Amino acid sequence: MSHATTTEVQDDRPRTSPDNREPALSSRSLPRWSPLGFAAVSIALGVGVGVAAGWHSRVQWGMVSALLFLALSYVATTVVENKRQAKDRLATSLVWVCFLIAVVPLASLLWTTVSRGSERLDGYFLTHSMAGVLGSEDSGGVYHALIGTLEQVGIATVISAPLGLLTAVYLVEYGKGALARSVTFFVDVMTGIPSIVAGLFILSIMLIASIEPSGLMGALALTILMIPVVVRSTEEMLKLVPNELREASLALGIPKWRTILKVVLPTAIGGITTGVMLAIARIAGETAPIILLVFGSQLINTNPFEGAQSSLPFYIYEQYKVGEAASYDRAWAAALVLIAFVMILNLVARGIARWKAPKSGR
């Protein structure tokens, strides 16, 4: 009986990586820190080119650095890895560059506002008005304008939030036919209305009915600007609610109105609240309607239904128009108060959204 002997055949082919794309021993890749290295080299070269060319603008230095970063990332990846990875890294680098281009002006604006506004912002500034204060005097405050902004924005929110919410519910849950198409068309038109047009519309009503300027008139103009934003954001949030939730509720015999009230709205409450806050931020900085309809005032007026009022945007415009060093400081401080006001509203909105959001299963 012969015993067959087995021989092992030596395979001289290079072993491949698990994905069978590149030889495992010959494939090369850039280290994880390579983007940071490319960025550092590009910034150094960009600054060097700017200094050598005599450019005094840092924006020019940044643009040159960005172009060098894109070129360096693509060339290095092509040499070390391959063209496919180079194209992928080029797209990623381009996204990062666009992100930084968008963020840098915002960061610069915030830094300038905080640095300039914090010099004048204190307890006295928040609790005093400009009554009897000259533009060149280093005194006075923003209390009267803060009250006006709170009252005008509050009235506009009380009017527009329910109207916008009910309109969005109608369009998503009930809207069909010509009426729904007409409402959608007019909401789209109102979204692009300039603030000065809304102010002129309310001003025409005031002239026809012989109504005196007041905070209420300004709030009505802000309402016109706020309603389409609330409708659009709420409508999109309601569309994101899964239809299975509606069908499950209706299958249990629950009426549609109760399904909307107990299922649809609580599910979308986070997005709805965020949309309302975005609408408030949209109108909080409007100046043109206030100039036309409220006229501004140096005195404290807590009654929005009678007499002229001020607001934070109008106060900033007013102080900048004075042209004195002290008025510039007050304008920057008021701008910081306005930014803080919008940020606090957004934080409150996120807290409400978390509190009212449906609880996930344990």
Side-chain angles (χ1 to χ4, degrees):
M1 183 176 183
S2 60
H3 298 278
T5 60
T6 59
T7 59
E8 294 182 0
V9 179
Q10 183 68 28
D11 190 358
D12 295 332
R13 291 178 298 176
R15 296 183 178 180
T16 59
S17 58
D19 57 1
N20 294 324
R21 292 179 182 177
E22 294 286 345
L25 298 178
S26 62
S27 61
R28 296 180 300 174
S29 62
L30 292 171
R32 290 179 175 270
W33 50 265
S34 58
L36 295 178
F38 295 152
V41 174
S42 301
I43 292 173
L45 292 176
V47 173
V49 171
V51 173
W55 296 339
H56 301 288
S57 175
R58 295 182 181 179
V59 176
Q60 294 175 320
W61 298 2
M63 296 302 295
V64 172
S65 300
L67 294 176
L68 290 174
F69 173 71
L70 295 175
L72 185 60
S73 300
Y74 181 78
V75 172
T77 308
T78 302
V79 172
V80 176
E81 298 180 4
N82 52 61
K83 280 193 173 183
R84 182 177 180 181
Q85 294 296 329
K87 292 179 180 179
D88 178 77
R89 190 177 293 275
L90 177 62
T92 304
S93 302
L94 185 61
V95 170
W96 276 104
V97 169
C98 293
F99 169 74
L100 291 176
I101 290 175
V103 167
V104 167
L106 176 60
S108 176
L109 174 63
L110 289 175
W111 172 257
T112 303
T113 304
V114 171
S115 60
R116 294 288 300 272
S118 59
E119 298 176 358
R120 186 68 179 80
L121 184 60
D122 52 19
Y124 174 86
F125 183 75
L126 295 175
T127 56
H128 286 74
S129 68
M130 292 295 295
V133 179
L134 299 178
S136 58
E137 294 181 4
D138 189 15
S139 59
V142 77
Y143 180 69
H144 62 299
L146 184 59
I147 289 178
T149 294
L150 291 174
E151 291 182 348
Q152 294 160 23
V153 172
I155 293 173
T157 304
V158 169
I159 297 174
S160 59
L163 289 177
L165 178 60
L166 293 175
T167 303
V169 169
Y170 166 75
L171 292 175
V172 175
E173 303 293 338
Y174 298 97
K176 293 180 181 179
L179 180 58
R181 290 193 297 268
S182 300
V183 172
T184 302
F185 172 76
F186 282 111
V187 169
D188 292 337
V189 171
M190 290 178 63
T191 303
I193 290 179
S195 59
I196 188 67
V197 175
L200 289 173
F201 174 72
I202 300 298
L203 180 61
S204 63
I205 296 177
M206 290 173 58
L207 296 176
I208 293 173
S210 301
I211 302 175
E212 295 295 327
S214 64
L216 177 62
M217 297 297 104
L220 293 178
L222 297 180
T223 300
I224 297 175
L225 301 174
M226 187 175 178
I227 286 178
V229 181
V230 176
V231 172
R232 273 284 168 244
S233 59
T234 305
E235 185 179 0
E236 295 301 322
M237 291 302 105
L238 294 178
K239 289 180 180 179
L240 293 177
V241 178
N243 284 328
E244 288 78 4
L245 295 178
R246 298 180 176 90
E247 294 171 356
S249 178
L250 295 174
L252 296 175
I254 299 176
K256 188 170 184 177
W257 69 268
R258 193 171 182 84
T259 298
I260 296 172
L261 188 63
K262 296 295 184 179
V263 177
V264 177
L265 291 180
T267 304
I269 189 63
I272 294 173
T273 306
T274 303
V276 173
M277 291 301 107
L278 289 176
I280 292 176
R282 159 81 168 84
I283 66 173
E286 291 294 343
T287 309
I290 306 303
I291 296 176
L292 288 174
L293 308 174
V294 185
F295 281 14
S297 175
Q298 305 290 337
L299 305 176
I300 299 174
N301 180 11
T302 58
N303 184 7
F305 303 101
E306 183 179 0
Q309 268 191 331
S310 185
S311 68
L312 288 174
F314 182 83
Y315 180 88
I316 296 170
Y317 163 76
E318 189 179 43
Q319 294 302 314
Y320 177 79
K321 188 174 63 174
V322 172
E324 299 288 342
S327 65
Y328 287 151
D329 293 338
R330 288 191 291 265
W332 281 110
L336 181 57
V337 172
L338 181 59
I339 292 176
F341 172 71
V342 175
M343 292 182 64
I344 291 173
L345 284 178
N346 279 275
L347 292 176
V348 171
R350 290 186 178 275
I352 294 175
R354 286 180 175 272
W355 175 41
K356 291 294 185 179
K359 301 298 185 293
S360 58
R362 296 180 180 177

